[in-house]
Amino acid sequence: MELTPLLLSRIQFAFTISFHIIFPAFTIGLAAWLTFLEACHLFTGERIYRRLSDFWLKIFAVAFGLGVVSGIVMAFQFGTNWSELSRRTGPIQGPLLGYESFTAFALEAAFFGVLMFGRDRVPRWAYLGACLMVSLGTSLSAFWIMVNNSWMQYPTGFSLTPDGVFVPTDWSAIIFNQAVWTRFPHMIIAAYVTSAFCVAATGAWYMLRGTAVQEGRAMAVMGLRLAAILVPVQLGFGHLVGDFVHDKQPAKFAAIEGRWNDQQPASEILVAWPDSENERNLFEISVPYLGSVIGSMSLTSKELGIKSFAPQDRPPVAIPFFAFRIMVGCGLVMLALAWIGSWLSFSERLLKARLFLVATFLSFPLGFIATLTGWFTAEVGRQPWVVYGQLRTAEAATPFLTSQEVATTFALVAAVYALIFGFGVLYIYRLLRAGPIPAAALSLYGTNPKRPLSIPGASPGVSGAAKTGE
C-alpha cells in the first residue's frame, strides 16, 4: 500500500478524532451527572450527593481540558491537510462552527470558573445554575458538531458556484437537516450511557475493594439504573439512524450489511468475513428474511447489494461491517448488565454479587468502544465522499502536500498526544484511586479552594490543614 499524502492525512485525522471523541463522549454525560447530583443535594440535603459531586467534578475538569486540547488540533488540520474542503465548504461549515463558539463555548467559558471555584462563593441555587449552564454548553457543542457532520452526510440547502464552492441558500434546511434529528439524539444518549457505565464501573470497583462502599454503591446503583432506561432508547434511535442510512445512503447500508448482491427477500448476515477482492463473504451465518424486515419492515422487499454501485462510488466493506457489529454487541452487553444490575439493586443483593461487580467494573470501556465504532461506521461508510454525493475525499485534500510533510506532522501530533494524554489519564486514574472524600473529613480537610483539582492526601494544602487543624 502506497502511503500517499491523502492516505496519511486520512489516517492522521482518524487518529486525532478518535482521541478527541473519547473526551466529549465522557464529559457531556458527566456534566449532566454533576447537575443531577447538585440538584439532589439542593433539594434533599443529603451529604452523599455533595461528596459524589466533589469527587466527579475533578475528573470532569481534567477530561474537559483534554477534550479542548484535542479539539484544537483538529481545527488546524482543516487548514493544513484539508484546505480544499475548507475553501469549498467554508461558507457553510465556517458559520456552523462559529455558532458553536457563540453559544456552547460562551456558556462553558462563562460558567466553568463558577463550577470549579464557586462552590462556597455563590448561593447553592446559583451553583446548581452554573452546573446546568455548563451541561447545556456541552450539549450545544455536540449539537452544532452534529449539524455540521450531518450536512456532510446529507447536504441540503446550498447551491454550487462554477468553481465548486458551496453557497448556503437555506439555513433552515442546513440546520434542521433530516439527518440531525436522529443522529444528534443518538450521539447525546451515547454520551450519557458512556458516562453512566463509567460511574457504575467506578462504584463497582470501590465495592470490590471495600473502600468508600457507601459512595460506591450509590454510584453503581444510579449508573446502572440510568443505563437500564437509556440503552433501550439508544437502540431505538440507532434503528432510526439505520432507516435514514437505508433510504439516503444505500451504498453505506449495503457495506454495513455485508451484502454483495441484490437480494429479494434479503437475509440478515450475523457473522461473516468479507472478502473484498473476490466480492463475497467467507464463513457467513445469516437469517433468511430478516434483512428485508430490518431494511424495509417487509418480508418481501428487495435490498441492494454493494455490486449495484459503480466501483468508484463504493465504500470499503470490512470496516463498516465489523465496526457496526462491535457497536451493536457492546450495546447488547450493556443492556444485559444494566437490567441485571438494576434487578439486583432493587432486591438489595448488589453488594454480595461479586461476580456481577467484576463484570460491571470491566464494562467501563464499552461505551467508549461503542461510540468509536459507531463513528467509524458513519465516517468510513460515507467514503469515497467527504460531502456525500457532491465532493470526493480525494478532491478535498490540500493539493500540494507531500507524504514526508504529512508523516512529519503526524509523528509530532502523535508524540504530543501521547505525552499530554498519558499524564492526563494517569492523573484521572490517581483521582479515581483516591476515591471520594470521606464524610467526616469533608468539612475540614477535603477541599482546598485554591487547588480544586488536588488529590486528597497528596495535596500540600490539605495535609497542612490537617496537621494544624485549621
Side-chain angles (χ1 to χ4, degrees):
M1 180 183 296
E2 183 183 0
L3 294 177
T4 63
L6 174 63
L7 178 61
L8 286 170
S9 294
R10 289 183 62 188
I11 295 173
Q12 178 176 316
F13 196 83
F15 173 82
T16 52
I17 198 170
S18 296
F19 256 102
H20 175 67
I21 198 172
I22 289 173
F23 297 103
F26 185 37
T27 53
I28 290 171
L30 212 50
W33 166 246
L34 289 172
T35 305
F36 174 75
L37 291 174
E38 286 300 325
C40 289
H41 180 227
L42 179 64
F43 292 114
T44 69
E46 294 288 339
R47 297 282 290 174
I48 189 170
Y49 296 118
R50 164 73 186 273
R51 297 200 298 276
L52 294 180
S53 178
D54 286 343
F55 170 66
W56 284 104
L57 176 63
K58 299 176 181 180
I59 297 167
F60 169 78
V62 177
F64 185 85
L66 292 173
V68 171
V69 171
S70 58
I72 290 173
V73 175
M74 290 175 55
F76 281 114
Q77 284 181 105
F78 283 113
T80 57
N81 297 56
W82 304 101
S83 63
E84 204 45 32
L85 172 69
S86 300
R87 184 185 71 82
R88 294 176 64 172
T89 65
I92 292 176
Q93 293 193 297
L96 291 179
L97 293 175
Y99 297 150
E100 183 190 13
S101 301
F102 295 147
T103 56
F105 294 170
L107 278 177
E108 291 167 352
F111 291 97
F112 188 81
V114 179
L115 186 67
M116 292 304 304
F117 302 101
R119 161 80 73 188
D120 299 319
R121 294 179 171 84
V122 298
R124 290 170 61 185
W125 62 264
Y127 190 76
L128 172 61
C131 292
L132 184 62
M133 290 300 103
V134 171
S135 178
L136 178 61
T138 59
S139 298
L140 277 174
S141 180
F143 173 74
W144 289 115
I145 292 299
M146 292 308 297
V147 168
N148 204 330
N149 185 267
S150 296
W151 180 81
M152 297 169 74
Q153 298 278 352
Y154 183 55
T156 53
F158 71 93
S159 63
L160 280 172
T161 63
D163 60 347
V165 173
F166 293 79
V167 177
T169 58
D170 185 349
W171 279 107
S172 62
I174 293 171
I175 295 173
F176 303 109
N177 186 315
Q178 181 183 347
V180 173
W181 301 112
T182 52
R183 300 182 77 238
F184 173 60
H186 195 49
M187 181 67 221
I188 285 291
I189 297 174
Y192 287 176
V193 171
T194 298
S195 299
F197 264 87
C198 287
V199 170
T202 304
W205 187 34
Y206 294 143
M207 293 167 75
L208 288 168
R209 292 170 59 196
T211 59
V213 173
Q214 183 187 11
E215 292 84 356
R217 184 184 180 283
M219 292 183 209
V221 169
M222 285 193 279
L224 290 169
R225 288 181 182 176
L226 178 63
I229 298 170
L230 289 180
V231 175
V233 178
Q234 177 71 332
L235 293 175
F237 273 104
H239 180 72
L240 295 177
V241 173
D243 281 346
F244 171 82
V245 173
H246 176 269
D247 296 340
K248 305 299 182 184
Q249 297 179 322
K252 179 197 287 188
F253 193 84
I256 291 171
E257 294 293 293
R259 185 179 297 120
W260 294 97
N261 299 296
D262 296 355
Q263 290 183 342
Q264 186 177 16
S267 59
E268 178 67 16
I269 299 169
L270 302 178
V271 179
W273 186 267
D275 179 4
S276 298
E277 185 175 348
N278 297 304
E279 299 184 341
R280 61 175 182 171
N281 290 327
L282 304 174
F283 317 115
E284 179 179 308
I285 300 175
S286 59
V287 179
Y289 299 99
L290 187 57
S292 291
V293 173
I294 292 176
S296 306
M297 295 301 292
S298 164
L299 289 172
T300 59
S301 67
K302 179 181 179 181
E303 303 298 332
L304 296 177
I306 196 73
K307 290 183 182 177
S308 296
F309 303 92
Q312 66 273 17
D313 294 338
R314 299 176 187 172
V317 174
I319 293 178
F321 179 83
F322 287 119
F324 176 77
R325 278 152 185 78
I326 293 171
M327 176 187 68
V328 173
C330 289
L332 295 177
V333 172
M334 287 190 287
L335 179 64
L337 287 172
W339 281 3
I340 293 172
S342 298
W343 176 67
L344 289 172
S345 71
F346 282 117
S347 57
E348 299 296 334
R349 289 187 290 173
L350 187 59
L351 188 60
K352 298 178 181 177
R354 295 189 65 82
L355 187 60
F356 177 80
L357 292 176
V358 170
T360 303
F361 166 63
L362 295 177
S363 72
F364 79 90
L366 290 180
F368 296 110
I369 296 172
T371 303
L372 280 171
T373 50
W375 197 256
F376 293 160
T377 303
E379 297 305 300
V380 177
R382 187 180 59 190
Q383 299 304 316
W385 306 99
V386 65
V387 179
Y388 195 79
Q390 299 293 332
L391 177 62
R392 292 181 182 275
T393 305
E395 300 169 340
T398 301
F400 49 79
L401 277 181
T402 65
S403 297
Q404 184 178 6
E405 290 171 338
V406 183
T408 302
T409 58
F410 187 13
L412 288 172
V413 167
V416 172
Y417 269 43
L419 181 66
I420 294 176
F421 291 100
F423 281 106
V425 171
L426 176 63
Y427 196 73
I428 288 177
Y429 170 74
R430 290 189 62 191
L431 288 170
L432 289 171
R433 188 168 183 81
I437 301 165
L442 181 64
S443 59
L444 290 177
Y445 313 126
T447 59
N448 183 340
K450 295 181 180 178
R451 304 179 66 238
L453 293 180
S454 60
I455 298 174
S459 165
V462 172
S463 60
K467 290 175 182 176
T468 60
E470 293 174 357

